[in-house]
Amino acid sequence: TVMDYPVMNYPVWEPFISNGLLIAIVAILHVFVSHFAIGGGLYLVVAETIARKKNDLAQLAYLKRHSRFFILLTLVFGVVSGVGIWITIGLISPVGTSTLIRTYVWGWATEWVTFFVEIAAALFYYYGWTRLSPKTHLAIGWIYFVASWLSLVVVNGILTFMLTPGDWIVTGNFWDGFFNQSYIAATFFRTFICIMLAGLYAAFTLAGEKDIKLKTRLMRQNGTMTLAAILIAIPCGYWYLGSLPDSVTAAILPGSIPMLAQQVMIFSTALLFVLTFLGTIAFPKKAGYISGAILLFCGLCAFGGFEWEREALRKPFIIQDYLYSTGLTVAEANQLDGTKPMQIAFTTGDRGRDLYLSACRSCHTISGYNSLDDRLAGLETEHIANIIPLTAHFIAPMPPWAGNAEDATTLAGYLKNKADPDPLTDGPSLSETDKQEIVFMRRCGGCHTMDDPNRRPLGETFAGLDSDEAQEIIMELPDIAEEMPPFVGSDTELKLLISHLTAGGQND
């Protein structure tokens, strides 16, 4: 029965989208506002200092209005989304969350102190425009910025640790994990992102300014600041990328998720640079809320692309080389021998579903983002059971299988019932080329390509072979390498696969 298996007291939580995507949405929206909370604080206090020296009452009036927008956005949405991150990661990855809390308990404590100072200073700053002397008001503004930037300094040490834990894995020392190899570069990069966002948000709030001369002047100032921050952030971004170990950056391959995320970041940054120049410097008088929203959206895509790439590079780990996304540590994985049932963290009464939630749900949904129903369409339960223990060898990085053969069969049966109909037999009519491609992807595509030198190409292996020679290789796969499952498809699929392989992928 289900209760014969070890069970822990973590709750069952299956959101409507994949766990990783849900965390990404909450986290990216939060950092897009939280980084503005830092850069915007610097923008306010510097701009106020300049305005007071010039006795520019019009600019001071604008800054007061901008500070209202700043307070509402950062202290309401920023705080709520920050709490939302803790709730989300706590439900999705309780082991990873507890590890971060235990490892960085004093780091979090420091961050919470700086955050408390940040909130208090922000409220005093906003309500002090007419109640405090200019000198005291500016002093509070600087206190706010320093506290908020120190919050970034602390959190960045924890974020970079998750991708580059460095010597911490061996020593367990707090400082070895905190001041890791990518920490300094990431701190500089994020600091200039904060300044970039400050300029973008300020351009948005200026859209409704009725004083055209003031609007034009401040738009150009904000645009110049934004463009300068982008130009400095770009080399800092390359610095950060260069600080990552080769084992991490090796995942940035053509067609990979990290590469796609990087392309989104680069394209969005280039578009942001051009549109910022046009909207704030070339034609500042015509800038409105729509153009300001477009700039913010481009900034969200550019910064979101960076965060997406960073998270994608960490797969299949939560903490690189230490903790897998399934909650299994590397040390625990190294002790697996395939004889014991999986230690699941919960029970729903359906062992197959429990195994899916524990082993697959951190990255996959049945139907939706990174879905399994289409990937498994047409596969036999036997084949699914055969490849489940081998998924750690797939091109897309996945955690090692933590169950035994019985678990693999149980999970395979559950997934088979959720799979889409076989497109070869139950779908629309397909060309011979399309059929060959489908069979290759379902039987070989998890681990191989035909001609990509970075992804175990098969084209050269089968080049020049006749059908009988190719069939002999296919039928002896487990004897060639234990990481390959036996071929259990139909004779029709075998013929299609042989045709594709011996053609050298010419049908791709």
Side-chain angles (χ1 to χ4, degrees):
T1 63
V2 173
M3 295 308 295
D4 290 337
Y5 298 97
V7 177
M8 298 176 69
N9 61 351
Y10 293 132
V12 176
W13 194 54
E14 187 177 4
F16 64 96
I17 58 178
S18 74
N19 297 348
L21 184 60
L22 178 60
I23 292 176
I25 292 173
V26 176
I28 288 175
L29 290 176
H30 172 72
V31 298
F32 190 63
V33 172
S34 64
H35 282 59
F36 165 58
I38 300 165
L42 179 63
Y43 173 83
L44 280 169
V45 73
V46 171
E48 183 187 353
T49 300
I50 296 173
R52 290 196 183 279
K53 286 184 178 180
K54 295 181 178 181
N55 196 30
D56 190 339
L57 299 181
Q59 184 174 358
L60 288 172
Y62 159 71
L63 291 175
K64 183 179 179 180
R65 294 194 301 273
H66 181 67
S67 66
R68 177 180 176 83
F69 167 82
F70 175 82
I71 289 293
L72 290 175
L73 183 63
T74 59
L75 294 193
V76 178
F77 181 84
V79 171
V80 170
S81 59
V83 174
I85 289 178
W86 279 104
I87 294 174
T88 305
I89 66 173
L91 287 169
I92 287 176
S93 182
V95 177
T97 304
S98 64
T99 300
L100 289 177
I101 291 175
R102 286 186 285 104
T103 303
Y104 287 103
V105 60
W106 292 112
W108 291 119
T110 303
E111 195 275 335
W112 290 331
V113 170
T114 61
F115 185 59
F116 175 79
V117 174
E118 180 184 341
I119 291 177
L123 292 173
F124 276 110
Y125 183 83
Y126 174 69
Y127 288 105
W129 276 102
T130 58
R131 295 175 173 85
L132 300 174
S133 66
K135 183 177 180 180
T136 302
H137 191 250
L138 286 171
I140 291 175
W142 281 111
I143 291 173
Y144 170 86
F145 167 68
V146 171
S148 62
W149 186 76
L150 288 177
S151 179
L152 170 67
V153 166
V154 174
V155 173
N156 183 57
I158 299 170
L159 290 177
T160 53
F161 155 79
M162 295 175 71
L163 184 58
T164 54
D167 293 337
W168 174 87
I169 292 180
V170 177
T171 66
N173 183 274
F174 173 93
W175 299 112
D176 286 340
F178 188 87
F179 291 114
N180 57 80
Q181 65 194 77
S182 64
Y183 172 77
I184 296 177
T187 301
F188 274 88
F189 177 74
R190 289 184 180 276
T191 297
F192 286 104
I193 290 297
C194 293
I195 297 173
M196 177 196 79
L197 292 178
L200 294 179
Y201 277 98
F204 180 80
T205 59
L206 265 173
E209 177 59 50
K210 296 180 180 179
D211 187 335
I212 301 300
K213 289 184 177 180
L214 177 67
K215 177 181 179 179
T216 301
R217 174 164 58 87
L218 294 185
M219 272 290 185
R220 286 178 171 156
Q221 288 179 3
N222 295 338
T224 301
M225 179 183 71
T226 301
L227 296 178
I230 293 174
L231 290 176
I232 299 175
I234 289 174
C236 289
Y238 278 103
W239 178 18
Y240 170 74
L241 186 63
S243 70
L244 301 179
D246 293 339
S247 59
V248 171
T249 56
I252 307 176
L253 296 172
S256 66
I257 295 297
M259 176 62 79
L260 176 61
Q262 189 176 96
Q263 290 170 341
V264 169
M265 176 181 64
I266 293 173
F267 175 78
S268 299
T269 301
L271 184 62
L272 175 63
F273 191 91
V274 173
L275 294 181
T276 298
F277 175 80
L278 293 175
T280 63
I281 296 178
F283 307 104
K285 295 180 181 179
K286 296 183 178 181
Y289 287 116
I290 294 178
S291 62
I294 292 174
L295 291 181
L296 285 173
F297 179 74
C298 289
L300 175 63
C301 291
F303 192 25
F306 164 74
E307 296 289 359
W308 184 18
E309 181 182 11
R310 181 178 62 81
E311 290 294 310
L313 287 174
R314 221 169 7 96
K315 299 300 181 184
F317 298 98
I318 293 176
I319 300 174
Q320 187 74 25
D321 298 327
Y322 175 77
L323 181 67
Y324 287 107
S325 59
T326 54
L328 187 73
T329 66
V330 172
E332 291 169 340
N334 291 336
Q335 296 176 1
L336 296 173
D337 57 10
T339 62
K340 299 178 180 179
M342 182 180 295
Q343 300 280 328
I344 57 171
F346 38 72
T347 178
T348 63
D350 181 340
R351 179 67 178 175
R353 183 176 177 226
D354 290 346
L355 292 167
Y356 158 71
L357 293 173
S358 181
C360 312
R361 194 55 170 76
S362 59
C363 297
H364 296 279
T365 60
I366 293 296
S367 178
Y369 178 79
N370 214 10
S371 59
L372 293 175
D373 55 358
D374 53 341
R375 299 168 192 254
L376 301 175
L379 292 181
E380 307 82 3
T381 302
E382 180 184 0
H383 182 74
I384 299 173
N386 287 338
I387 64 174
I388 284 173
L390 305 176
T391 51
H393 302 289
F394 275 31
I395 292 174
M398 284 187 274
W401 172 243
N404 55 17
E406 182 182 352
D407 280 344
T409 301
T410 302
L411 176 58
Y414 176 81
L415 295 177
K416 174 64 177 176
N417 289 331
K418 301 292 184 180
D420 286 344
D422 186 352
L424 294 180
T425 58
D426 301 319
S429 59
L430 299 170
S431 67
E432 195 72 8
T433 299
D434 290 337
K435 291 179 180 179
Q436 291 178 17
E437 180 66 20
I438 289 172
V439 174
F440 174 79
M441 290 306 299
R442 70 167 56 160
R443 301 297 174 182
C444 308
C447 298
H448 296 279
T449 62
M450 286 303 300
D451 53 16
D452 187 338
N454 297 307
R455 295 180 174 180
R456 306 176 191 139
L458 294 177
E460 291 186 5
T461 301
F462 286 87
L465 299 183
D466 59 31
S467 297
D468 291 339
E469 291 170 328
Q471 179 172 333
E472 183 177 354
I473 292 176
I474 293 171
M475 301 312 293
E476 295 179 356
L477 290 179
D479 296 325
I480 296 174
E482 62 181 9
E483 294 84 8
M484 290 192 283
F487 182 85
V488 297
S490 65
D491 291 340
T492 300
E493 282 192 276
L494 179 59
K495 292 178 181 179
L496 289 168
L497 180 58
I498 290 173
S499 297
H500 186 81
L501 291 171
T502 55
Q506 295 174 8
N507 294 324
D508 289 354

